[in-house]
Amino acid sequence: MTDPLRLGIAGLGTVGTGVVKIVRQKASLLAARAGRPITISAISARTRDKDRGVTLSDYAWEDDPVALATRDDVDVFVELMGGSDGPAKAATEAAIAAGKDVVTANKAMLAHHGQALAIAAENAGRVLRFEAAVAGGIPVIKALTEGLAGNEITRVMGVMNGTCNYILTRMQSAGLPYDTVFDEAAQLGYLEADPTLDVGGIDAGHKLSLLASIAFGTQVDFDAVDLEGIEKVTIADISHAADMDYRIKLLGVARMTGRGLEQRMSPCLVPADSPLGQLEGGTNMVVLEGDMVEQIVLRGPGAGEGPTASAVMGDVMDIARGCRVSTFGQPAKGLQKAQSALGATPAPYYLRMALEDKPGALAKVAAVLGEAGISIDRMRQYRHDDTTAPVLIVTHKTTRSALDAALDAMSRLDVVATEPVALRIETV
């Protein structure tokens, strides 16, 4: 096929501008690799006259992204506006209904509406691609849907929010408290307009739900993701973890258990010498485990103009070549909603608390853990200058339900001066 593949791009922020640059600057390379030219017919954004550092006058302008999505001279609608609902969803639905293929970087929209959009695309004979929605420039969607298609996936795990990884590694390297590094990240422009999307684990949770759907052949179920952000992680936790040769990461983990699908996005301790433990700054990493390949580690930039635009163009090129892959790796009509299994897999836990400096305080805490069926692997008490003593406990493997019961009982002890912090220790 020699006819050009014509794009309509809605959203001209960092990623949209990056896509325009690739199409303009690499036209010959793209045509050679795709076997046909890649062109842009029309564009849309909230502001028309903004200087975006790239020539846009060659393209038709549409104020309404829905009008852009339904133009006769658009073959692929590229949705880069963001937002789980509103114009992004309306334009995507309109594009599919008009017989267009869709490429999007919108993780929130897919996490909340991915199943319905995938079925709509199937019914229309169209494809919906979203490599750029998960882990930026890392081709993890392609790895799961194509490269590892012959595997039973046993676990998906990763650091999927570069801002959180920056904050945690900066706390580690500079010895700075969370609030200071949070403000620093804000000044550098690393945080979303709503920072809780980053530090609350929501952004990364969206990504995990999409990967879990592909990996385990289930409907996307973001509401079943157990979310915990990094707001409660202190410099003391960072330091104590380092003393035990661990690093703290906002870690997403999904696995199918005998009780159902477990999906967690929470701060965890990982071995300092593991690939995840060594991950620095804003870089992302996804670890895929399959029965045939054992463990695959994918590492790369998780955001930014170049990496995310690169992922968008990977999807565009597949469409240009005639590659038609189901949205979540298999027909959406056959996907079932998985039984949710929160905290199903036992693990050791890190516990930090402050105890009243009284005789028998540690014994009372140990008794509560024992009554919950939790044994202690290590315990450490740190020097103190006031009436409370910082105490660190590492348990043997236990279930989250048993741990929660123990934490509830601890809260009623007269010797526990602060609410205990509990972080899972993940095997890598």
Side-chain angles (χ1 to χ4, degrees), residues 11-35:
L12 294 171
T14 300
V15 180
T17 301
V19 172
V20 173
K21 289 177 181 178
I22 292 175
V23 173
R24 292 184 69 87
Q25 296 170 7
K26 302 181 186 294
S28 297
L29 179 64
L30 296 176
R33 289 177 171 173

Side-chain angles (χ1 to χ4, degrees), residues 180-191:
T180 299
V181 180
F182 177 92
D183 291 342
E184 182 181 284
Q187 292 170 9
L188 291 170
Y190 290 172
L191 291 166

Side-chain angles (χ1 to χ4, degrees), residues 9 23 186 217 260 336 359 378:
I9 302 175
V23 173
Q336 301 296 316
R378 283 179 277 176

Side-chain angles (χ1 to χ4, degrees), residues 23 36 129 135 141 210 226 252 255 288 295 339 367:
V23 173
R36 59 191 296 195
R129 305 294 296 263
I141 305 297
L210 299 175
D226 187 16
R255 74 178 97 206
L288 306 174
Q295 189 177 88
Q339 176 69 35

Side-chain angles (χ1 to χ4, degrees), residues 177-263:
Y178 172 83
D179 289 342
T180 299
V181 180
F182 177 92
D183 291 342
E184 182 181 284
Q187 292 170 9
L188 291 170
Y190 290 172
L191 291 166
E192 296 275 3
D194 178 1
T196 59
L197 292 174
D198 287 315
V199 298
I202 298 170
D203 168 86
H206 287 151
K207 300 171 186 177
L208 181 68
S209 69
L210 299 175
L211 293 182
S213 174
I214 299 170
F216 303 107
T218 62
Q219 291 184 14
V220 177
D221 191 2
F222 170 68
D223 290 338
V225 179
D226 187 16
L227 288 177
E228 181 184 349
I230 64 171
E231 303 98 321
K232 294 182 180 180
V233 176
T234 68
I235 192 64
D237 295 320
I238 297 282
S239 177
H240 297 335
D243 288 346
M244 299 184 294
D245 294 323
Y246 287 106
R247 299 287 184 269
I248 297 178
K249 300 292 179 183
L250 180 66
L251 192 66
V253 180
R255 74 178 97 206
M256 188 64 73
T257 73
R259 292 170 48 195
L261 180 60
E262 181 180 3
Q263 301 180 84

Side-chain angles (χ1 to χ4, degrees), residues 112-123:
H112 290 283
H113 307 293
Q115 177 68 13
L117 291 172
I119 289 176
E122 285 178 12
N123 290 340

